[in-house]
Amino acid sequence: MAAGGGGSCDPLAPAGVPCAFSPHSQAYFALASTDGHLRVWETANNRLHQEYVPSAHLSGTCTCLAWAPARLQAKESPQRKKRKSEAVGMSNQTDLLALGTAVGSILLYSTVKGELHSKLISGGHDNRVNCIQWHQDSGCLYSCSDDKHIVEWNVQTCKVKCKWKGDNSSVSSLCISPDGKMLLSAGRTIKLWVLETKEVYRHFTGHATPVSSLMFTTIRPPNESQPFDGITGLYFLSGAVHDRLLNVWQVRSENKEKSAVMSFTVTDEPVYIDLTLSENKEEPVKLAVVCRDGQVHLFEHILNGYCKKPLTSNCTIQIATPGKGKKSTPKPIPILAAGFCSDKMSLLLVYGSWFQPTIERVALNSREPHMCLVRDISNCWAPKVETAITKVRTPVMNSEAKVLVPGIPGHHAAIKPAPPQTEQVETKRKSGGNEVSIEERLGAMDIDTHKKGKEDLQTNSFPVLLTQGLESNDFEILNKVLQTRNVNLIKKTVLRMPLHTIIPLLQELTKRLQGHPNSAVLMVQWLKCVLTVHASYLSTLPDLVPQLGTLYQLMESRVKTFQKLSHLHGKLILLITQVTASEKTKGATSPGQKAKLVYEEESSEEESDDEIADKDSEDNWDEDEEESESEKDEDVEEEDEDAEGKDEENGEDRDTASEKELNGDSDLDPENESEEE
């Protein structure tokens, strides 16, 4: 069983690296390491058989691999003889090794020729390939990917035979039934497909995390008295990422329960799983599980119905180095893979380094619950580092020489012409006495430290300053560098940072992201540059997830409220635009024009008063003439006197009437006034 592709920065990616034993009595062990190289080792003598480097080994690293099955070469039927080309094509497939890549392509590598056989690209996946399974009879290839699809390939034509959607999320694992008519697929839930119709036959609840391994454990049902349809009653095993329980499921009738019938418990996440198939109901299933902590757990159990408690291992195997000397303690050696030999009584263990693994055959003793093998792997291949230890010599310098000190460009250390301390240094050097201490050397140098402003900080000094600030935890230096807003300067600084400072820089950025929102805006720019520039380095770190756990939680908490904030932001924008529009309409003024006519109220009131007074006086004069005509019988003298008296009274009445009309109180006609008088 090939392990899932490690080396990915995805926290839900399977642990370990892709590896698998060949089906020909485990003669070879194929391993795709994190550097993109495929290495095939001989298990008998622990020798490197072949090494293959794909052309796109850096961009499209290997994520899974699978050997072509040993039974692939079909028997010739008596009715029809195969063509020569067909027979050659089928026989050549028995040595093929299928490699799935991170970019969606599938490579077929021939171990006999030692070269690439073919490449499956067109019409296939457009995302990371998670699992590859060969069909044991037809020679077809099945693959699943993060693009949610399952693809059936024709290996001879290198074309897609069929492609269908396997899940609503990524499909992470596949397994073909023993009779070759059914296919198990799993993302988080597990589905059983009919290969002929591509329809779902059964559903299983699955795991909380992506399933990393699927395999059938029995080839015959426990109840052999009932007719067997090829699938009902069979058991299969599943393991998932970050899950310490391996679940066992049974294919039952449609109305039966869809949960696991039993489970095996291990100490850590499973990295590699191998088992021996149970051919009848009395034969137990033997299971070897390699965990991420480097141990192997062995199980032996007869699958017969439901079991409530998780089963613990019958035997645990560990490997450690011998402790040299009394004080030294043994160190554990991680086990990378384990496979049962054909006799089912011995185990092939692969341990040590991925680049130079050690393969050993170990006999199983079921009586011992714990086995610790002591192995010395110091004689194995390891990168040799030659270091030359020499005495540090201080050169003799005259007054014209200048010493360049690492740090901010522009610093210089001028040597004094002939200080007494330098004379002592020279005498000590000549006499061959003790080495000069660092304190004396520093005292001999006069470092001119000018006060540097922000304008003196150059692009090439930022990486040096940031490295010094991270190593010394200097808050002022970190503030100077991390407060910059120039995106190009940030990119150049991140590019020149040494690799050992990337994780401390990410941790410092995480601290600052939790602070004030204004500083968080700047930190996001730094974080984006670090993750894009150094993604390849970060993907090689095995403990990246625990180191960046705080950052993951912080990003999740921020993203949760983003949708609500965006809704609120949209509503506020609508309200603000409406308010501003209404204010603009209210405050709009008419365009300036010159008036053609000006009406002044004060002058008009005065004119109207004069007109009213003149009108009243004329009316009163007419009334006096009528009264004089009616009184013709009276004397002329009396008429003159009356007329004079009336004239005086009418003059007073005219004045009062005009005042009343001005005040708006003149309700009576002038005729009535004269009658009353």
Side-chain angles (χ1 to χ4, degrees), residues 558-604:
R558 294 284 174 92
V559 170
K560 278 181 183 177
T561 57
F562 176 72
Q563 189 174 4
K564 295 179 181 178
L565 286 175
S566 60
H567 285 312
L568 179 61
H569 181 64
K571 290 179 180 178
L572 288 175
I573 287 177
L574 283 175
L575 288 173
I576 290 168
T577 50
Q578 288 176 359
V579 170
T580 51
S582 62
E583 287 178 354
K584 283 181 181 178
T585 54
K586 286 181 181 179
T589 57
S590 60
Q593 294 179 356
K594 291 183 179 180
K596 293 182 180 180
L597 178 63
V598 179
Y599 177 75
E600 296 181 358
E601 291 184 356
E602 293 179 358
S603 60
S604 62

Side-chain angles (χ1 to χ4, degrees), residues 461-474 477-482 490 493-494 497-498 501 504-505 508-509 512 526 530:
S461 71
F462 266 67
V464 178
L465 279 177
L466 190 53
T467 305
Q468 291 175 353
L470 291 171
E471 289 177 353
S472 62
N473 256 345
D474 195 326
I477 295 178
L478 291 174
N479 269 350
K480 274 184 183 178
V481 179
L482 295 177
I490 293 173
T493 305
V494 173
M497 290 289 291
T501 61
L505 176 58
E508 180 66 27
L509 293 175
R512 291 172 178 258
W526 283 91
V530 172

Side-chain angles (χ1 to χ4, degrees), residues 18 108 124-125 181 186 256 282 322 334 406 538 541 593 646 652 668:
L108 298 181
H125 300 291
K181 296 179 181 178
K256 290 287 183 76
E282 295 177 356
L538 293 172
L541 299 177
Q593 294 179 356
K646 286 180 181 177
E652 293 175 1
L668 299 175

Side-chain angles (χ1 to χ4, degrees), residues 6-10 34-35 58-59 61 470 494-507 529-545 547-548 552:
S8 171
C9 57
D10 183 8
T34 53
D35 58 356
L58 293 178
S59 60
T61 54
L470 291 171
V494 173
L495 274 170
R496 297 178 183 180
M497 290 289 291
L499 289 179
H500 69 274
T501 61
I502 300 303
I503 292 296
L505 176 58
L506 284 173
Q507 292 171 351
C529 287
V530 172
L531 294 179
T532 51
V533 172
H534 295 287
S536 57
Y537 165 69
L538 293 172
S539 63
T540 60
L541 299 177
D543 55 344
L544 181 66
V545 177
Q547 284 185 350
L548 300 184
Y552 288 140

Side-chain angles (χ1 to χ4, degrees), residues 8 22 128 141 179 218 236 266 270 368 384 423 436 463-464 488 629:
S8 171
S22 67
R128 168 195 171 101
L141 192 70
D179 63 350
T218 55
F236 67 90
V266 291
E368 297 181 10
K384 295 179 181 179
E423 292 174 358
V436 184
V464 178
N488 291 329
E629 288 176 357

Side-chain angles (χ1 to χ4, degrees), residues 141-175:
L141 192 70
Y142 293 89
S143 61
C144 63
S145 168
D146 281 350
D147 62 5
K148 310 175 186 178
H149 286 81
I150 302 171
V151 177
E152 181 182 5
W153 299 88
N154 188 332
V155 179
Q156 292 185 2
T157 61
C158 299
K159 292 183 179 179
V160 175
K161 206 173 176 183
C162 183
K163 181 178 180 179
W164 72 96
K165 188 175 181 180
D167 207 331
N168 292 327
S169 58
S170 62
V171 185
S172 56
S173 190
L174 295 175
C175 182

Side-chain angles (χ1 to χ4, degrees), residues 159 240 242 412 483 493 604 612:
K159 292 183 179 179
H242 303 322
H412 63 279
Q483 291 299 323
T493 305
S604 62
I612 291 167

